[in-house]
Amino acid sequence: AKAMGKGCYAIFDEDMHTMAVQRLDIENELRKGIKHRDFVLYYQPIINLTDQSIIGFESLVRWNHPRKGLVGPDEFIPIAEETGLIVPLGEWVLFESCRQMNDWLQRFPSHQEMLIHVNVSGIQLKQAGFPDRVRTCLQTTGLPSRCLKLEITESMLMSLEDRAVTILDAIRKQHVQIGIDDFGTGYSSLSYLHRFPVDTLKIDRSFVLGLDKNNDNAKIVKAIISLAHALGLNVVAEGIETARHLTMLGSMRCEYGQGYHFSHPLPAHQVAGMLGRA
Ligand code: C2E
Ligand code: CA
Ligand code: CA
Ligand code: CA
């Protein structure tokens, strides 16, 4: 057993080495990608569950990799966060999202009340001067502040603790809204929640996907929605994939939702087609 154990360690070390090299490769490629702006944004509609109208879009970044093609964010956001590259990448995402939404508002005046939801990493959020960057972004792109909502994950929010309150206050002073993303996965103490100045709770899709299979899930989703409403927040449910999810969430008085049942995330030209028709 001892000899085997030793062998296992050798293999393990080799794997670790390979992984470290791969990571370094991705880091270097990410650096180049940011320099060359090899990223694109996809946009997923957010729907008013009462009348099924579009209330806005969430922007979701993809890496247009020179060899691999379109790469999803789960493959590079964690590395971008560890290396700090999320700061310049997130800055580009914020500006491009606001620029694009303002463009749609100009071209489709019947959709004046649309919001753009932009994902912001905690690493980005805690950079000194982030609220000023948001202000500059709105000034530069011309997007009205009421049309921007920043999404911060529950776990990032909890790890920032009191610092988050100060930063979010400075952002909300500009009438930019805040949503808590992936709610239910961050193990926040519920007694803490009311201290964070936010507008929206987004229920993580793992709860929504389990809605029709698991009775406990339905109870949890119902409780999250009641809690949010009691705190004066509105609710977006993620991962609505079926008509049944939609019906159940509607009966629980969930206001908004997104998911494959309505639409996958779309490239900008397809969104323009959709807005032109509606
Ligand atoms: P997220 O913010 O929770 O975004 C929702 C994810 O769920 C997206 O994956 C979306 O494509 C996917 N999705 C939407 N509807 C459904 C559905 O009905 N069923 C299922 N199974 N999935 C659905 P995506 O685009 O791969 O993004 C993954 C994560 O990467 C995002 O999760 C977000 O945490 C992160 N991310 C994406 N763009 C950015 C960004 O610009 N900045 C930062 N910091 N993170 C980003
Ligand atoms: Ca999000
Ligand atoms: Ca989410
Ligand atoms: Ca997520």
Side-chain angles (χ1 to χ4, degrees):
K2 234 181 190 169
M4 245 185 89
K6 212 176 162 194
C8 283
Y9 275 117
I11 290 166
F12 185 61
D13 280 349
E14 220 164 89
D15 281 356
M16 297 271 285
H17 180 72
T18 313
M19 273 170 60
V21 170
Q22 274 172 2
R23 248 185 132 65
L24 202 64
D25 280 350
I26 298 177
E27 184 182 336
N28 288 332
E29 290 186 341
L30 257 181
R31 231 176 264 285
K32 276 191 218 138
I34 291 168
K35 211 168 128 194
H36 299 140
R37 312 209 164 192
D38 290 338
F39 295 87
V40 282
L41 295 179
Y42 273 50
Y43 299 89
Q44 187 174 39
I46 302 175
I47 306 295
N48 179 336
L49 299 186
T50 315
D51 62 8
Q52 306 225 5
S53 61
I54 298 173
I55 64 145
F57 294 86
E58 176 177 8
S59 70
L60 295 156
V61 69
R62 278 96 182 85
W63 184 1
N64 202 349
H65 192 280
R67 277 175 293 108
K68 297 181 201 160
L70 274 196
V71 178
D74 290 332
E75 287 186 47
F76 61 89
I77 293 285
I79 299 172
E81 286 181 327
E82 277 171 38
T83 53
L85 289 170
I86 193 69
V87 175
L89 177 60
E91 174 96 354
W92 177 81
V93 168
L94 179 63
F95 271 74
E96 179 55 19
S97 302
C98 292
R99 188 203 63 74
Q100 181 62 79
M101 180 48 80
N102 197 51
D103 177 62
W104 287 331
L105 292 176
Q106 307 284 317
R107 281 162 64 195
F108 307 106
S110 57
H111 293 274
Q112 274 315 302
E113 294 311 309
M114 286 196 302
L115 283 167
I116 186 78
H117 284 233
V118 181
N119 292 289
V120 172
S121 163
I123 314 282
Q124 215 183 331
L125 190 77
K126 71 182 182 194
Q127 296 289 306
F130 179 73
D132 293 333
R133 300 300 304 149
V134 174
R135 190 190 311 276
T136 306
C137 174
L138 293 168
Q139 281 166 355
T140 311
T141 60
L143 184 74
S145 55
R146 64 180 155 80
C147 299
L148 175 62
K149 191 178 286 188
L150 303 180
E151 295 190 4
I152 327 285
T153 64
E154 181 191 20
S155 46
M156 281 293 190
L157 208 56
M158 294 303 144
S159 70
L160 286 171
E161 297 178 326
D162 288 347
R163 251 195 308 171
V165 177
T166 315
I167 303 166
L168 297 185
D169 271 336
I171 294 170
R172 280 176 97 228
K173 271 216 187 87
Q174 307 173 37
H175 309 290
V176 170
Q177 301 178 58
I178 308 286
I180 305 186
D181 205 355
D182 299 350
F183 189 79
T185 62
Y187 308 102
S188 57
S189 137
L190 294 183
S191 61
Y192 235 65
L193 191 61
H194 75 277
R195 299 179 37 207
F196 291 106
V198 301
D199 304 279
T200 302
L201 269 195
K202 288 190 82 172
I203 303 178
D204 190 70
R205 70 166 180 263
S206 56
F207 296 103
V208 176
L209 290 177
L211 262 185
D212 38 17
K213 287 160 206 131
N214 178 333
N215 193 32
D216 282 343
N217 247 315
K219 288 182 190 158
I220 292 168
V221 171
K222 215 171 163 178
I224 294 175
I225 294 170
S226 309
L227 172 75
H229 289 167
L231 294 172
L233 313 177
N234 56 45
V235 183
V236 180
E238 310 181 321
I240 301 178
E241 292 192 352
T242 66
R244 180 151 170 77
H245 292 155
L246 175 59
T247 311
M248 289 182 76
L249 288 160
S251 73
M252 296 172 186
R253 306 197 177 285
C254 179
E255 289 93 334
Y256 309 115
Q258 61 190 105
Y260 299 161
H261 176 68
F262 302 110
S263 170
H264 282 252
L266 305 170
H269 71 272
Q270 283 186 29
V271 172
M274 184 184 253
L275 292 175
R277 263 178 277 119

